Amino acid sequence: MHKEQVATYFNKLEYLDLSFNKLKSISNLEYLVNIKTLILNDNAIPVVSKAMLTQSHHPYMTKLDLSNNQLQCDCTVEAFRNWVLTDNMVFLQQDPLGDYQCYFPESKKGFSITEVNLDDCETSHLLQHFIIGISCTIAVLLVVLVIAVRYRWHIQYRFFLLVNRRRNQQHVLVNDDDDDDRIDDDENGVPRYDAYVPYHIEDETG
């Protein structure tokens, strides 16, 4: 069902029982803004998205049952486990954590989600951030390199103009100290140059 239909036809729904339906995923539940009781136990849901089942989306929810699903106990379950341990949500089961067991991978099957060691997830998160940072840095360097190659003649031309301007400024300062020191000027006071750098925009295509 599309999210527009959920938002239109079920926005006033307060009670929903989808247990024992072999559901493998849940989506668009954030549009059930008035839901109070949500029962999803005994399905085949491997991953529970906190973005879908958070109290900011369901301010009126007081009962939730996600027990006996086929949870995948890797780093994807970390947010859900932390949510169960810290959120004030009222679960239907008296001992909800005992009914939230791992189904995948096989080595963790039958363990409660609170018993699974997820210490490697922190390292994984740091590694992801490091890779993202390196990728962004490389992308920026590539952009700078492309711009430098594309406008190399402009850059060289501007550089020569800057160097000559600095030389002229220094020459003026020297002439202010000694009016007779004009060995580099002609009779009109225009500086003489030993070399010239011809430049044209069409040189870039050469």
Side-chain angles (χ1 to χ4, degrees):
M1 184 173 292
H2 296 292
K3 60 183 180 181
E4 293 81 6
Q5 294 175 309
V6 176
T8 302
Y9 299 111
F10 297 97
N11 59 339
K12 295 183 179 180
L13 189 66
E14 296 184 0
Y15 182 94
L16 179 61
D17 187 346
L18 294 174
S19 59
F20 298 95
N21 275 287
K22 298 182 180 180
L23 298 176
K24 295 184 178 180
S25 64
I26 49 178
S27 60
N28 299 329
L29 294 179
E30 63 268 27
Y31 296 100
L32 302 177
V33 293
N34 289 303
I35 195 72
K36 294 182 179 180
T37 300
L38 181 58
I39 304 175
L40 294 167
N41 62 284
D42 292 277
N43 282 291
I45 300 171
V47 179
V48 180
S49 173
K50 187 178 179 180
M52 297 179 185
L53 298 173
T54 180
Q55 285 187 329
S56 61
H57 291 144
H58 308 104
Y60 304 109
M61 183 182 290
T62 58
K63 295 181 180 180
L64 173 64
D65 189 357
L66 278 162
S67 60
N68 298 320
N69 275 280
Q70 299 179 3
L71 296 178
Q72 180 174 322
C73 287
D74 53 16
C75 293
T76 58
V77 81
E78 182 182 20
F80 175 64
R81 184 184 70 168
N82 295 338
W83 174 42
V84 171
L85 291 173
T86 60
D87 204 291
N88 293 324
M89 187 71 64
V90 178
F91 288 85
L92 291 181
Q93 301 295 325
Q94 294 295 323
D95 183 18
L97 298 182
D99 293 316
Y100 289 89
Q101 297 182 356
C102 303
Y103 195 86
F104 301 106
E106 187 66 27
S107 59
K108 299 178 181 178
K109 188 173 182 178
F111 287 92
S112 170
I113 60 175
T114 59
E115 299 173 347
V116 178
N117 186 1
L118 299 177
D119 293 339
D120 293 339
C121 293
E122 183 176 355
T123 303
S124 177
H125 295 329
L126 293 176
L127 182 60
Q128 289 178 0
H129 294 159
F130 176 77
I131 293 175
I132 292 174
I134 292 296
S135 300
C136 292
T137 302
I138 293 176
V140 171
L141 291 177
L142 287 176
V143 171
V144 172
L145 180 61
V146 170
I147 294 175
V149 172
R150 175 67 178 82
Y151 296 100
R152 61 188 183 279
W153 297 114
H154 292 279
I155 296 173
Q156 292 181 16
Y157 177 64
R158 296 297 178 183
F159 174 75
F160 284 123
L161 288 180
L162 178 62
V163 171
N164 289 331
R165 186 178 296 112
R166 293 291 300 272
R167 288 178 178 176
N168 291 339
Q169 291 175 351
Q170 293 176 357
H171 184 74
V172 170
L173 293 176
V174 172
N175 288 341
D176 289 341
D177 295 335
D178 187 358
D179 293 337
D180 296 331
D181 187 10
R182 297 177 181 270
I183 59 176
D184 293 329
D185 294 355
D186 59 14
E187 61 275 8
N188 296 320
V190 178
R192 297 187 180 94
Y193 296 91
D194 294 331
Y196 294 89
V197 179
Y199 168 77
H200 194 273
I201 189 66
E202 294 181 357
D203 291 342
E204 298 182 8
T205 60

